[in-house]
């Protein structure tokens, strides 16, 4: 018989995380407090994935993957804006560093892990080229217009946009993301549905995928607890941010590491959910989660950050360096080749993970 905690962990974890968040706001900074907050953060992340999957199972694909992608974007945008308002030397580049790190983590780290996990279990996996290719094309356009073009514009010095250019970048990002969501959920929804699997899968996650949808009451309860998890993650991550920055300074690491840490924290739910789907031979769902999160990160975070920067007249550096530009180009070229055939294997996963490790290494040793 399962214990009471095993049966009720899905609501115990988010409420405990909220309690730890409240304790962290009252107690002074201390390593033990930071450790407890990190444990609460992990619990909120895992519970958030669970509740997002319950809601996703109720509404079906591809609507379900949007739930987690939008939730992650809320977390990311909140953290970036809060740290921008706090000021500091690295705040002007924080949005760029976080968004670039998000692209590298998702397109290489998350996708690479999913490909490797799926390939070691099934050899080859199939997915819909039309859906994954459409998502990647929008992601490339968003990344180039927001992170690459500022390097080459001449209206302002450095890798920055003028105010009209910022407004255009924010509006175009919003339009592209809205059109992608329209295509994904209405116009060409079939592009993003998992291909019919051959044979019967014995994996527990696959059985769960084909289980009857939860009741409306259960779905609404999970939606409410998902909101609690998101609030806890945002709050705890914000409390941990100064500790992370102090650790970065103490280690004499580049300021870009702060953006990487933020991206890693907020992408934990996405990574866990995508990896579970790949292990259950649902690679299309993994791609929907991964690329959908990257699109939401840029398509929704950029308009929010631009609005805050323009309204409060905060400096904002969006253009990437030459090293990052090379890594971005390499990532997109390899991603195009990975998605070209509609089938994946262990080699493709290894290539993506090596690029991801190179990104982390060059971030620490630029």
């Amino acid at each position: 018989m399962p214990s009471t905690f095993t049966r009720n962990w899905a609501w115990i974890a988010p409420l405990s995380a909220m309690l730890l968040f409240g304790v962290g706001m009252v107690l002074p900074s201390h390593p033990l407090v930071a450790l407890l907050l990190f444990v609460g953060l992990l619990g909120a992340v895992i519970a958030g994935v669970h509740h997002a999957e319950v809601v996703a199972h109720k509404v079906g694909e591809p609507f379900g993957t949007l739930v987690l992608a939008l939730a992650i974007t809320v977390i990311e945008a909140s953290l970036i804006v809060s740290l921008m308002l706090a000021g500091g030397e690295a705040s002007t580049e924080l949005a760029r560093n976080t968004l670039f790190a998000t692209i590298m983590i998702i397109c290489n780290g998350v996708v690479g892990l999913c490909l490797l996990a799926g390939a070691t279990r099934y050899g080859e996996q199939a997915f819909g080229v039309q859906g994954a290719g459409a998502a990647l094309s929008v992601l490339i356009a968003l990344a180039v217009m927001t992170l690459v073009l500022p390097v080459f514009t001449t209206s302002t010095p450095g890798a920055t946009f003028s105010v009209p250019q910022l407004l255009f970048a924010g509006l175009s990002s919003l339009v592209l993301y809205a059109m992608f969501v329209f295509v994904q959920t209405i116009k060409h929804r079939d592009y993003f549905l998992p291909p019919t699997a051959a044979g019967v899968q014995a994996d527990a996650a696959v059985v769960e995928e084909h289980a009857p949808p939860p009741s409306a009451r259960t779905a609404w309860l999970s939606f409410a607890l998902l909101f609690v998890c998101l609030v806890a993650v945002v709050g705890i991550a914000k409390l941990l941010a100064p500790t992370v920055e102090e650790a970065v300074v103490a280690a004499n690491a580049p300021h870009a590491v702060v953006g990487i840490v933020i991206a890693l924290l907020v992408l934990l739910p996405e990574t866990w959910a995508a990896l579970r789907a790949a292990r259950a031979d649902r690679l299309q769902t993994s791609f929907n989660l991964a690329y959908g999160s990257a699109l939401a990160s840029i398509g929704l975070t950029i308009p929010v950050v631009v609005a805050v920067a323009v309204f409060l007249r905060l400096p904002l550096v969006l253009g990437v360096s030459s090293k990052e530009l090379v890594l971005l180009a390499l990532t997109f070229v390899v991603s195009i080749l990975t998605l070209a055939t509609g089938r994946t294997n262990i080699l493709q996963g290894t290539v993506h993970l090596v690029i991801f490790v190179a990104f982390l290494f060059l971030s620490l040793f630029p």
Side-chain angles (χ1 to χ4, degrees):
M1 290 290 291
S3 65
T4 303
F5 178 80
T6 303
R7 293 193 301 268
N8 300 325
W9 73 271
W11 65 265
I12 292 176
L15 295 182
S16 299
M18 285 296 294
L19 178 62
L20 287 172
F21 171 51
V23 171
M25 292 184 66
V26 176
L27 295 180
S29 178
H30 189 274
L32 181 59
V33 174
L35 178 60
L36 289 175
L37 287 174
F38 184 72
V39 171
L41 179 68
L42 289 180
V45 164
I46 295 173
V49 170
H50 168 77
H51 292 299
E53 289 182 340
V54 171
V55 176
H57 193 38
K58 178 64 178 178
V59 300
E61 285 291 330
F63 296 97
T65 56
L66 284 175
V67 175
L68 197 52
L70 293 175
I72 296 306
T73 304
V74 171
I75 297 174
E76 187 173 57
S78 301
L79 288 174
I80 292 175
V81 170
S82 63
L83 292 177
M84 282 177 60
L85 295 176
E89 182 182 350
S91 62
T92 60
E93 301 176 353
L94 182 62
R96 178 200 66 187
N97 293 339
T98 304
L99 293 177
F100 175 72
T102 297
I103 294 175
M104 299 303 294
I105 291 168
I106 288 176
C107 292
N108 292 314
V110 177
V111 169
L113 279 175
C114 290
L115 296 181
L116 199 62
T120 54
R121 191 166 192 177
Y122 302 103
E124 287 188 349
Q125 289 182 292
F127 62 92
V129 177
Q130 292 172 306
L136 182 62
S137 66
V138 178
L139 179 59
I140 292 173
L142 284 171
V144 170
M145 287 197 301
T146 57
L147 300 178
V148 177
L149 276 182
V151 180
F152 300 98
T153 55
T154 57
S155 298
T156 55
T160 59
F161 272 150
S162 64
V163 172
Q165 290 169 340
L166 274 176
L167 295 174
F168 175 78
L171 181 61
S172 59
S173 298
L174 196 59
V175 168
L176 280 174
Y177 182 70
M179 182 55 66
F180 171 76
V181 172
F182 172 72
V183 169
Q184 184 186 31
T185 58
I186 299 175
K187 188 66 175 177
H188 296 290
R189 183 185 175 191
D190 55 305
Y191 289 178
F192 302 89
L193 296 177
T196 304
V200 179
Q201 303 285 352
D203 191 274
V206 177
V207 174
E208 178 184 347
E209 172 74 8
H210 297 284
S215 64
R217 179 178 178 275
T218 300
W220 278 111
L221 180 60
S222 286
F223 183 79
L225 288 172
L226 173 61
F227 179 77
V228 173
C229 290
L230 294 178
V231 172
V233 170
V234 171
I236 294 176
K238 187 175 180 180
L239 290 178
L240 288 174
T243 303
V244 172
E245 291 183 348
E246 291 172 5
V248 169
V249 172
N252 200 25
H255 288 302
V257 174
V258 178
I260 295 174
V261 172
I262 291 175
L264 286 171
L265 284 176
V266 300
L267 288 173
L268 275 175
E270 204 79 58
T271 303
W272 184 261
L275 192 57
R276 284 192 63 198
R279 291 283 294 170
D281 202 18
R282 292 183 283 122
L283 191 61
Q284 182 66 54
T285 300
S286 297
F287 282 161
N288 288 348
L289 285 163
Y291 289 124
S293 179
L295 288 171
S297 291
I298 299 182
L300 296 179
T301 301
I302 284 292
V304 172
V305 169
V306 164
V308 171
V310 172
F311 182 74
L312 298 178
R313 298 183 181 180
L314 298 175
L316 186 62
V317 177
L318 288 178
V320 296
S321 66
S322 55
K323 175 194 68 179
E324 293 166 339
L325 184 58
V326 170
L327 284 173
L328 199 62
L330 176 62
T331 296
F332 286 145
V333 169
V334 172
S335 297
I336 291 171
L337 296 176
T338 296
L339 302 182
T341 62
R343 299 194 69 84
T344 61
N345 55 57
I346 194 170
L347 177 60
Q348 294 161 317
T350 304
V351 172
H352 282 281
L353 285 178
V354 168
I355 297 174
F356 176 65
V357 173
F359 155 69
L360 292 178
F361 178 79
L362 293 175
S363 297
L364 292 173
F365 302 98

